Amino acid sequence: ALTKVIGAGAEGLTLSSTDLKIDAGDLLFGTSAKGVVVGATSNTDANTLDDYEEGTWTPAWTASSGSATYNTQVGTYTKVGNIVNMACYLRISNKSSLSGGLTLSGLPFSSSSVSSNYQAVAIWMNTTMDGRAFDGDYHMQAYIAPGVNYVNIQSLDGDGVVAGLDTADINNTTDIMLSVSYKT
């Protein structure tokens, strides 16, 4: 037997013995801290989708000291549960007073603080560097450490030597693009 819920003169919700159909509008909860149970017959945290968000964020270079100016700072993200899918494009126009080691900062959420939760990052970087040529002998790699809201970027040379990115490695036309999924 079908049951229909009618509100404000318009049919909006149909219940059957197996399905719930929403003909118009959204599914809203009357209070916070609610979610949709997926693939289970009882509400357990592991099976409850209770967070979804889309937005933007502002990527920036952070160094030991100083600041820079940018032509472009674009970051987007989608967060589903505790997983953030984010991307960014950053183009520097003047590295100005930046000095020391570099990280890419401003992630929309801090990463999970579980100590074994290091997360690799897909990276593309276009730059002419004074200290290192990122060619066949050098490769860029990036990761997000536990409990932080920035990306560590480093180089790996042909001999297996790893070095963190430094302000001497970028110039006033450096572009960087990142795409990553990480756990919060």
Side-chain angles (χ1 to χ4, degrees), residues 47-135:
N47 294 63
T48 302
L49 177 59
D50 58 1
D51 189 15
Y52 179 88
E53 183 178 333
E54 295 178 7
T56 60
W57 62 285
T58 305
W61 289 113
T62 299
S64 303
S65 65
S67 62
T69 55
Y70 304 92
N71 286 333
T72 308
Q73 288 176 280
V74 178
T76 61
Y77 71 88
T78 301
K79 183 175 185 282
V80 180
N82 64 357
I83 301 296
V84 178
N85 296 298
M86 71 90 185
C88 77
Y89 174 67
L90 181 64
R91 181 178 179 96
I92 200 166
S93 62
N94 188 342
K95 71 179 190 175
S96 188
S97 62
L98 283 178
S99 178
L102 282 175
T103 60
L104 184 71
S105 63
L107 296 182
F109 302 92
S110 291
S111 62
S112 167
S113 61
V114 174
S115 62
S116 62
N117 195 26
Y118 282 81
Q119 297 166 77
V121 176
I123 184 173
W124 173 86
M125 192 166 175
N126 178 31
T127 187
T128 305
M129 300 192 175
D130 298 329
R132 294 175 269 184
F134 289 93
D135 53 21

Coordinates of all heavy atoms in Angstrom, one line a residue, residues 47-135:
N47 N 28.8 4.0 9.3 CA 27.9 3.9 8.1 C 27.0 5.1 8.0 O 26.0 5.1 7.2 CB 27.0 2.7 8.3 CG 27.8 1.4 8.2 OD1 28.6 1.2 9.1 ND2 27.5 0.6 7.2
T48 N 27.3 6.2 8.6 CA 26.5 7.4 8.6 C 27.2 8.5 7.9 O 28.3 9.0 8.3 CB 26.1 7.9 10.0 OG1 25.4 6.8 10.6 CG2 25.2 9.1 9.9
L49 N 26.6 9.0 6.8 CA 27.1 10.1 6.0 C 26.6 11.4 6.7 O 25.4 11.6 6.7 CB 26.7 10.1 4.6 CG 27.1 11.3 3.7 CD1 28.6 11.5 3.7 CD2 26.6 11.2 2.3
D50 N 27.4 12.1 7.4 CA 26.9 13.2 8.2 C 27.6 14.5 8.0 O 27.5 15.5 8.7 CB 27.0 12.9 9.7 CG 28.5 12.5 10.2 OD1 29.4 12.6 9.3 OD2 28.7 12.2 11.3
D51 N 28.4 14.6 6.9 CA 29.1 15.8 6.5 C 29.3 15.9 5.0 O 29.9 15.0 4.4 CB 30.4 15.9 7.3 CG 31.0 17.3 7.2 OD1 30.4 18.2 6.8 OD2 32.2 17.4 7.5
Y52 N 28.9 17.0 4.4 CA 29.1 17.3 3.0 C 29.3 18.8 2.9 O 28.5 19.5 3.4 CB 28.0 16.8 2.1 CG 28.3 17.1 0.7 CD1 29.0 16.2 -0.1 CD2 27.9 18.3 0.1 CE1 29.3 16.5 -1.5 CE2 28.2 18.6 -1.2 CZ 28.9 17.7 -2.0 OH 29.2 18.0 -3.3
E53 N 30.3 19.2 2.2 CA 30.6 20.6 2.0 C 31.4 20.9 0.8 O 32.3 20.1 0.4 CB 31.4 21.1 3.3 CG 31.6 22.6 3.3 CD 32.4 23.0 4.6 OE1 32.2 22.4 5.6 OE2 33.1 24.0 4.5
E54 N 31.1 22.0 0.1 CA 31.9 22.4 -1.1 C 32.3 23.8 -0.8 O 31.6 24.6 -0.1 CB 31.0 22.4 -2.3 CG 30.6 21.1 -2.8 CD 29.7 21.1 -4.0 OE1 29.5 22.2 -4.6 OE2 29.1 20.1 -4.4
G55 N 33.5 24.2 -1.3 CA 33.9 25.6 -1.0 C 35.2 25.9 -1.7 O 35.7 25.2 -2.5
T56 N 35.7 27.1 -1.3 CA 37.0 27.6 -1.9 C 37.9 27.8 -0.7 O 37.5 28.0 0.4 CB 36.8 28.9 -2.7 OG1 36.2 29.9 -1.8 CG2 35.8 28.7 -3.8
W57 N 39.2 27.9 -1.1 CA 40.2 28.2 -0.1 C 41.3 29.0 -0.8 O 41.4 29.0 -2.0 CB 40.8 27.0 0.6 CG 41.4 26.0 -0.3 CD1 40.8 25.1 -1.2 CD2 42.8 25.7 -0.4 NE1 41.7 24.4 -1.8 CE2 43.0 24.7 -1.4 CE3 44.0 26.3 0.2 CZ2 44.2 24.2 -1.7 CZ3 45.2 25.8 -0.2 CH2 45.3 24.8 -1.1
T58 N 42.2 29.6 0.0 CA 43.2 30.5 -0.6 C 44.6 29.9 -0.4 O 45.1 30.0 0.7 CB 43.1 31.9 0.0 OG1 41.8 32.4 -0.2 CG2 44.1 32.8 -0.7
P59 N 45.2 29.3 -1.4 CA 46.6 28.8 -1.2 C 47.6 29.9 -1.2 O 47.4 30.9 -1.8 CB 46.8 27.9 -2.5 CG 45.9 28.5 -3.5 CD 44.7 29.1 -2.7
A60 N 48.7 29.7 -0.4 CA 49.7 30.7 -0.3 C 51.0 30.0 0.1 O 51.0 28.9 0.7 CB 49.4 31.7 0.7
W61 N 52.1 30.6 -0.3 CA 53.4 30.1 0.1 C 53.7 30.6 1.5 O 53.5 31.8 1.8 CB 54.6 30.6 -0.8 CG 54.6 30.0 -2.1 CD1 54.4 30.6 -3.3 CD2 54.9 28.6 -2.5 NE1 54.6 29.7 -4.4 CE2 54.9 28.5 -3.9 CE3 55.3 27.5 -1.7 CZ2 55.1 27.3 -4.5 CZ3 55.5 26.3 -2.3 CH2 55.5 26.2 -3.7
T62 N 54.1 29.8 2.4 CA 54.5 30.2 3.8 C 56.0 29.8 3.9 O 56.4 28.7 3.6 CB 53.7 29.5 4.8 OG1 52.3 29.9 4.7 CG2 54.1 29.9 6.2
A63 N 56.8 30.8 4.4 CA 58.2 30.5 4.5 C 58.6 30.8 6.0 O 57.7 31.2 6.8 CB 59.0 31.5 3.6
S64 N 59.9 30.6 6.3 CA 60.3 30.9 7.6 C 60.1 32.3 8.0 O 59.8 32.6 9.2 CB 61.8 30.6 7.7 OG 62.1 29.2 7.4
S65 N 60.2 33.2 7.0 CA 59.8 34.6 7.3 C 59.4 35.3 6.0 O 59.7 34.8 4.9 CB 61.0 35.4 7.9 OG 62.1 35.4 7.0
G66 N 58.8 36.4 6.1 CA 58.4 37.2 4.9 C 57.1 36.8 4.3 O 56.3 36.0 4.8
S67 N 56.8 37.5 3.2 CA 55.5 37.3 2.4 C 55.8 37.5 1.0 O 56.8 38.0 0.6 CB 54.4 38.2 3.0 OG 54.8 39.5 2.7
A68 N 54.8 37.1 0.2 CA 54.9 37.3 -1.3 C 53.6 37.9 -1.8 O 52.6 38.0 -1.1 CB 55.1 35.9 -1.9
T69 N 53.6 38.2 -3.1 CA 52.4 38.7 -3.8 C 52.1 37.7 -4.9 O 53.0 37.0 -5.4 CB 52.5 40.1 -4.3 OG1 53.6 40.2 -5.2 CG2 52.6 41.1 -3.2
Y70 N 50.8 37.6 -5.4 CA 50.4 36.6 -6.3 C 49.6 37.1 -7.5 O 48.9 38.1 -7.3 CB 49.6 35.5 -5.6 CG 50.3 34.9 -4.4 CD1 50.1 35.5 -3.1 CD2 51.1 33.8 -4.5 CE1 50.7 34.9 -2.0 CE2 51.7 33.3 -3.4 CZ 51.6 33.8 -2.2 OH 52.2 33.3 -1.1
N71 N 49.8 36.5 -8.6 CA 48.9 36.8 -9.8 C 47.6 36.0 -9.6 O 46.5 36.5 -9.9 CB 49.6 36.4 -11.1 CG 50.6 37.3 -11.5 OD1 50.6 38.5 -11.2 ND2 51.6 36.8 -12.3
T72 N 47.7 34.7 -9.1 CA 46.6 33.9 -9.0 C 46.7 33.0 -7.8 O 47.7 32.4 -7.5 CB 46.5 32.9 -10.2 OG1 46.5 33.7 -11.4 CG2 45.2 32.1 -10.2
Q73 N 45.6 33.0 -7.0 CA 45.5 32.1 -5.8 C 44.1 31.5 -5.9 O 43.1 32.1 -5.4 CB 45.6 32.9 -4.5 CG 47.0 33.4 -4.2 CD 47.0 34.2 -3.0 OE1 46.7 35.4 -3.0 NE2 47.4 33.6 -1.8
V74 N 43.9 30.3 -6.4 CA 42.6 29.6 -6.6 C 42.7 28.3 -5.9 O 43.6 27.5 -6.2 CB 42.3 29.5 -8.0 CG1 40.9 28.8 -8.2 CG2 42.2 30.8 -8.7
G75 N 41.7 28.0 -5.0 CA 41.6 26.7 -4.4 C 40.2 26.3 -4.3 O 39.3 27.1 -3.9
T76 N 39.8 25.1 -4.6 CA 38.5 24.5 -4.4 C 38.5 23.2 -3.6 O 39.6 22.5 -3.6 CB 37.8 24.3 -5.8 OG1 38.5 23.3 -6.5 CG2 37.7 25.6 -6.6
Y77 N 37.4 22.9 -3.0 CA 37.4 21.6 -2.3 C 36.0 21.1 -2.2 O 35.0 21.8 -2.3 CB 38.0 21.7 -0.9 CG 37.1 22.5 0.1 CD1 36.1 21.8 0.8 CD2 37.2 23.9 0.2 CE1 35.3 22.5 1.7 CE2 36.4 24.6 1.1 CZ 35.4 23.9 1.8 OH 34.6 24.6 2.7
T78 N 35.9 19.8 -2.0 CA 34.6 19.1 -1.7 C 35.0 18.2 -0.5 O 35.9 17.4 -0.6 CB 34.1 18.3 -2.9 OG1 33.8 19.2 -4.0 CG2 32.8 17.6 -2.5
K79 N 34.2 18.3 0.6 CA 34.4 17.4 1.7 C 33.2 16.5 1.9 O 32.1 17.0 2.0 CB 34.6 18.3 3.0 CG 34.9 17.4 4.2 CD 35.2 18.4 5.4 CE 35.6 17.7 6.7 NZ 34.5 17.0 7.4
V80 N 33.5 15.2 1.9 CA 32.5 14.2 2.1 C 32.9 13.4 3.3 O 33.9 12.7 3.2 CB 32.3 13.3 0.8 CG1 31.2 12.3 1.1 CG2 31.9 14.1 -0.4
G81 N 32.1 13.4 4.4 CA 32.6 12.8 5.6 C 33.9 13.3 6.1 O 34.0 14.5 6.2
N82 N 34.9 12.4 6.2 CA 36.2 12.9 6.7 C 37.2 12.9 5.6 O 38.4 13.0 5.8 CB 36.7 12.0 7.8 CG 36.9 10.6 7.4 OD1 36.7 10.2 6.3 ND2 37.4 9.8 8.3
I83 N 36.8 12.9 4.3 CA 37.7 13.0 3.1 C 37.5 14.3 2.4 O 36.4 14.7 2.1 CB 37.4 11.8 2.1 CG1 37.6 10.5 2.8 CG2 38.3 11.9 0.9 CD1 39.0 10.2 3.3
V84 N 38.6 15.0 2.2 CA 38.6 16.3 1.5 C 39.3 16.0 0.1 O 40.4 15.5 0.1 CB 39.4 17.4 2.3 CG1 39.4 18.7 1.4 CG2 38.8 17.6 3.6
N85 N 38.6 16.4 -0.9 CA 39.2 16.4 -2.3 C 39.4 17.8 -2.6 O 38.4 18.6 -2.7 CB 38.2 15.7 -3.3 CG 38.0 14.3 -3.0 OD1 38.9 13.5 -3.0 ND2 36.7 13.9 -2.7
M86 N 40.6 18.2 -2.8 CA 40.9 19.6 -3.1 C 41.9 19.8 -4.2 O 42.6 18.9 -4.5 CB 41.4 20.3 -1.8 CG 42.8 20.0 -1.3 SD 44.0 21.1 -2.1 CE 45.5 20.4 -1.5
A87 N 41.9 21.0 -4.8 CA 42.8 21.3 -5.9 C 43.1 22.8 -5.8 O 42.4 23.6 -5.2 CB 42.1 21.0 -7.2
C88 N 44.3 23.2 -6.3 CA 44.6 24.6 -6.3 C 45.5 24.9 -7.5 O 46.2 24.0 -8.0 CB 45.2 25.0 -5.0 SG 46.9 24.5 -4.7
Y89 N 45.6 26.2 -7.8 CA 46.5 26.8 -8.7 C 47.1 28.0 -8.1 O 46.3 28.9 -7.6 CB 45.9 27.1 -10.1 CG 46.8 27.8 -11.0 CD1 47.9 27.2 -11.5 CD2 46.6 29.1 -11.4 CE1 48.8 27.8 -12.4 CE2 47.4 29.8 -12.2 CZ 48.5 29.1 -12.8 OH 49.4 29.8 -13.6
L90 N 48.4 28.2 -8.0 CA 49.0 29.3 -7.4 C 50.1 29.8 -8.3 O 51.0 29.1 -8.8 CB 49.6 28.9 -6.1 CG 50.3 29.9 -5.2 CD1 49.4 31.0 -4.7 CD2 51.0 29.2 -4.0
R91 N 50.0 31.1 -8.6 CA 51.1 31.7 -9.5 C 51.6 33.0 -8.7 O 50.9 33.9 -8.4 CB 50.6 32.1 -10.8 CG 51.7 32.8 -11.7 CD 51.2 33.1 -13.1 NE 52.3 33.7 -13.8 CZ 53.1 33.1 -14.7 NH1 52.9 31.8 -14.9 NH2 54.0 33.7 -15.3
I92 N 52.9 32.9 -8.4 CA 53.5 34.0 -7.7 C 53.8 35.2 -8.6 O 54.2 34.9 -9.8 CB 54.8 33.5 -6.9 CG1 55.2 34.4 -5.8 CG2 55.9 33.2 -7.9 CD1 56.2 33.8 -4.9
S93 N 53.7 36.4 -8.2 CA 54.1 37.5 -9.0 C 55.4 38.2 -8.5 O 56.2 38.8 -9.2 CB 53.0 38.6 -9.2 OG 52.7 39.1 -7.9
N94 N 55.6 38.1 -7.1 CA 56.8 38.6 -6.5 C 57.1 37.9 -5.2 O 56.3 38.0 -4.3 CB 56.6 40.1 -6.3 CG 57.9 40.8 -5.8 OD1 58.8 40.1 -5.4 ND2 57.9 42.1 -6.0
K95 N 58.2 37.2 -5.2 CA 58.5 36.4 -3.9 C 58.9 37.4 -2.8 O 59.1 37.0 -1.7 CB 59.4 35.3 -4.2 CG 60.8 35.6 -4.5 CD 61.6 34.3 -4.7 CE 63.1 34.6 -4.7 NZ 63.9 33.4 -4.8
S96 N 59.2 38.6 -3.2 CA 59.4 39.7 -2.2 C 60.3 39.3 -1.1 O 61.5 39.0 -1.3 CB 58.1 40.2 -1.7 OG 58.2 41.4 -1.0
S97 N 59.8 39.3 0.1 CA 60.6 39.1 1.3 C 60.6 37.7 1.8 O 61.1 37.4 3.0 CB 60.2 40.0 2.4 OG 58.8 39.8 2.8
L98 N 60.1 36.7 1.1 CA 60.1 35.3 1.5 C 61.5 34.8 1.7 O 62.4 35.1 1.0 CB 59.4 34.4 0.5 CG 57.9 34.4 0.3 CD1 57.5 33.5 -0.8 CD2 57.3 34.0 1.6
S99 N 61.7 34.1 2.8 CA 63.0 33.6 3.2 C 62.9 32.3 3.9 O 62.1 32.2 4.8 CB 63.7 34.7 4.0 OG 65.0 34.2 4.4
G100 N 63.7 31.3 3.5 CA 63.8 30.1 4.2 C 63.0 29.0 3.6 O 62.6 29.1 2.5
G101 N 62.7 27.9 4.4 CA 61.9 26.8 3.9 C 60.5 27.1 3.6 O 59.9 28.0 4.2
L102 N 59.9 26.5 2.5 CA 58.6 26.8 2.0 C 57.6 25.6 2.3 O 58.0 24.4 2.2 CB 58.6 27.0 0.5 CG 59.1 28.3 0.0 CD1 59.2 28.3 -1.5 CD2 58.2 29.4 0.4
T103 N 56.4 26.0 2.6 CA 55.3 25.0 2.5 C 54.2 25.7 1.8 O 54.1 27.0 1.7 CB 54.8 24.6 3.9 OG1 54.4 25.8 4.6 CG2 55.8 23.9 4.7
L104 N 53.2 25.0 1.3 CA 52.0 25.5 0.6 C 50.9 25.5 1.7 O 50.5 24.4 2.1 CB 51.6 24.7 -0.6 CG 50.5 25.3 -1.4 CD1 50.9 26.6 -2.1 CD2 49.9 24.3 -2.4
S105 N 50.5 26.6 2.1 CA 49.6 26.7 3.3 C 48.2 27.1 2.9 O 47.9 27.4 1.7 CB 50.1 27.7 4.3 OG 50.1 29.0 3.7
G106 N 47.3 27.0 3.9 CA 45.9 27.4 3.7 C 44.9 26.3 3.4 O 43.8 26.6 3.0
L107 N 45.3 25.0 3.5 CA 44.4 24.0 3.2 C 43.1 24.2 4.0 O 43.1 24.8 5.1 CB 44.9 22.6 3.7 CG 46.2 22.1 2.9 CD1 46.6 20.7 3.4 CD2 45.9 22.1 1.4
P108 N 41.9 23.8 3.4 CA 40.6 24.2 4.0 C 40.4 23.5 5.3 O 39.6 24.0 6.1 CB 39.6 23.7 2.9 CG 40.3 22.8 2.1 CD 41.8 23.1 2.1
F109 N 41.0 22.3 5.6 CA 40.9 21.6 6.9 C 42.2 21.0 7.2 O 43.0 20.6 6.4 CB 39.8 20.5 6.7 CG 38.5 20.9 6.3 CD1 38.1 20.9 4.9 CD2 37.5 21.3 7.2 CE1 36.9 21.4 4.5 CE2 36.3 21.8 6.8 CZ 36.0 21.8 5.4
S110 N 42.5 20.9 8.5 CA 43.7 20.2 9.0 C 43.5 18.7 8.7 O 42.4 18.2 8.7 CB 43.9 20.4 10.5 OG 44.3 21.8 10.7
S111 N 44.7 18.1 8.4 CA 44.7 16.6 8.2 C 44.4 15.9 9.5 O 44.6 16.4 10.6 CB 46.0 16.2 7.5 OG 47.1 16.5 8.4
S112 N 44.1 14.6 9.3 CA 43.9 13.8 10.5 C 45.2 13.8 11.4 O 46.3 13.7 10.8 CB 43.6 12.3 10.1 OG 43.7 11.4 11.1
S113 N 45.0 13.8 12.7 CA 46.2 13.8 13.5 C 46.7 12.4 13.9 O 47.6 12.3 14.7 CB 45.9 14.6 14.8 OG 44.8 14.0 15.5
V114 N 46.2 11.4 13.3 CA 46.7 10.0 13.5 C 48.1 10.0 13.0 O 48.4 10.3 11.9 CB 45.8 9.0 12.8 CG1 46.4 7.6 12.9 CG2 44.4 9.0 13.3
S115 N 49.0 9.5 13.9 CA 50.5 9.7 13.6 C 50.9 8.9 12.3 O 51.9 9.3 11.8 CB 51.3 9.2 14.8 OG 51.0 7.8 15.0
S116 N 50.2 7.9 11.9 CA 50.7 7.2 10.7 C 49.9 7.7 9.5 O 50.0 7.1 8.4 CB 50.4 5.7 10.9 OG 49.0 5.5 11.1
N117 N 49.3 8.8 9.5 CA 48.4 9.3 8.5 C 49.1 10.3 7.6 O 48.7 11.4 7.4 CB 47.1 9.9 9.1 CG 46.1 10.1 8.0 OD1 46.1 9.4 7.0 ND2 45.2 11.0 8.3
Y118 N 50.2 9.9 6.9 CA 50.9 10.8 5.9 C 50.2 10.5 4.6 O 49.8 9.4 4.3 CB 52.4 10.4 5.8 CG 53.2 11.0 6.9 CD1 53.3 10.4 8.1 CD2 53.9 12.2 6.7 CE1 54.0 10.9 9.2 CE2 54.7 12.7 7.7 CZ 54.7 12.0 9.0 OH 55.5 12.6 10.0
Q119 N 50.0 11.6 3.8 CA 49.2 11.5 2.6 C 50.0 12.1 1.4 O 50.4 13.2 1.5 CB 47.8 12.1 2.8 CG 47.1 11.4 3.9 CD 45.9 12.1 4.4 OE1 44.9 12.1 3.7 NE2 46.0 12.7 5.5
A120 N 50.1 11.3 0.4 CA 50.8 11.8 -0.8 C 50.0 12.8 -1.6 O 48.8 12.7 -1.5 CB 51.2 10.6 -1.7
V121 N 50.6 13.6 -2.4 CA 50.0 14.7 -3.1 C 50.4 14.6 -4.6 O 51.6 14.5 -4.9 CB 50.3 16.1 -2.5 CG1 49.7 17.2 -3.3 CG2 49.9 16.1 -1.1
A122 N 49.5 14.8 -5.5 CA 49.9 14.9 -7.0 C 50.2 16.4 -7.2 O 49.5 17.3 -6.8 CB 48.7 14.5 -7.8
I123 N 51.4 16.6 -7.8 CA 51.9 18.0 -7.9 C 52.4 18.3 -9.3 O 52.9 17.4 -10.0 CB 53.0 18.2 -6.9 CG1 53.5 19.7 -6.9 CG2 54.2 17.3 -7.1 CD1 54.5 20.0 -5.8
W124 N 52.2 19.5 -9.8 CA 52.8 20.0 -11.0 C 53.4 21.3 -10.7 O 52.7 22.2 -10.0 CB 51.8 20.1 -12.1 CG 52.4 20.8 -13.3 CD1 53.0 20.2 -14.4 CD2 52.4 22.2 -13.6 NE1 53.4 21.1 -15.3 CE2 53.0 22.4 -14.9 CE3 51.9 23.3 -13.0 CZ2 53.2 23.6 -15.5 CZ3 52.0 24.6 -13.6 CH2 52.7 24.7 -14.8
M125 N 54.7 21.6 -11.0 CA 55.3 22.8 -10.7 C 56.1 23.3 -11.9 O 56.8 22.5 -12.5 CB 56.2 22.7 -9.5 CG 56.7 24.0 -8.9 SD 57.3 23.7 -7.3 CE 58.0 25.3 -6.9
N126 N 55.9 24.5 -12.3 CA 56.6 25.1 -13.5 C 57.5 26.3 -12.9 O 56.9 27.3 -12.5 CB 55.7 25.6 -14.5 CG 56.4 26.2 -15.7 OD1 57.5 25.8 -16.0 ND2 55.7 27.2 -16.3
T127 N 58.8 26.1 -13.0 CA 59.6 27.2 -12.5 C 61.0 27.1 -13.1 O 61.4 26.0 -13.5 CB 59.7 27.1 -10.9 OG1 60.4 28.3 -10.5 CG2 60.4 25.9 -10.4
T128 N 61.7 28.2 -13.1 CA 63.1 28.2 -13.4 C 63.8 28.4 -12.0 O 63.5 29.4 -11.4 CB 63.5 29.3 -14.3 OG1 62.7 29.1 -15.5 CG2 64.9 29.3 -14.7
M129 N 64.6 27.6 -11.6 CA 65.2 27.7 -10.3 C 66.7 28.0 -10.3 O 67.4 27.4 -11.2 CB 64.9 26.4 -9.5 CG 63.5 26.1 -9.4 SD 63.2 24.8 -8.2 CE 61.4 24.9 -8.2
D130 N 67.1 28.7 -9.4 CA 68.5 29.1 -9.3 C 69.4 27.9 -8.8 O 70.4 27.6 -9.3 CB 68.8 30.3 -8.4 CG 68.1 31.5 -8.9 OD1 67.9 31.6 -10.1 OD2 67.6 32.3 -8.1
G131 N 68.8 27.2 -7.8 CA 69.6 26.1 -7.1 C 69.4 24.7 -7.8 O 70.4 24.0 -7.9
R132 N 68.2 24.4 -8.2 CA 68.0 23.0 -8.7 C 67.2 23.1 -10.0 O 66.2 23.8 -10.1 CB 67.3 22.2 -7.7 CG 68.1 22.0 -6.5 CD 67.3 21.2 -5.5 NE 66.6 22.3 -4.6 CZ 65.9 22.0 -3.6 NH1 65.6 20.8 -3.2 NH2 65.4 22.9 -2.8
A133 N 67.6 22.3 -11.0 CA 66.8 22.2 -12.2 C 65.9 21.0 -12.0 O 66.4 19.9 -11.9 CB 67.6 22.1 -13.4
F134 N 64.6 21.1 -12.1 CA 63.7 20.0 -11.9 C 63.5 19.3 -13.2 O 62.6 19.6 -14.0 CB 62.4 20.4 -11.2 CG 62.6 20.8 -9.8 CD1 62.8 22.1 -9.4 CD2 62.6 19.8 -8.8 CE1 63.1 22.4 -8.1 CE2 62.8 20.1 -7.5 CZ 63.1 21.4 -7.1
D135 N 64.5 18.5 -13.5 CA 64.5 17.8 -14.8 C 64.6 16.3 -14.5 O 64.1 15.8 -13.6 CB 65.6 18.3 -15.7 CG 67.0 18.2 -15.0 OD1 67.1 17.4 -14.0 OD2 67.9 18.9 -15.4

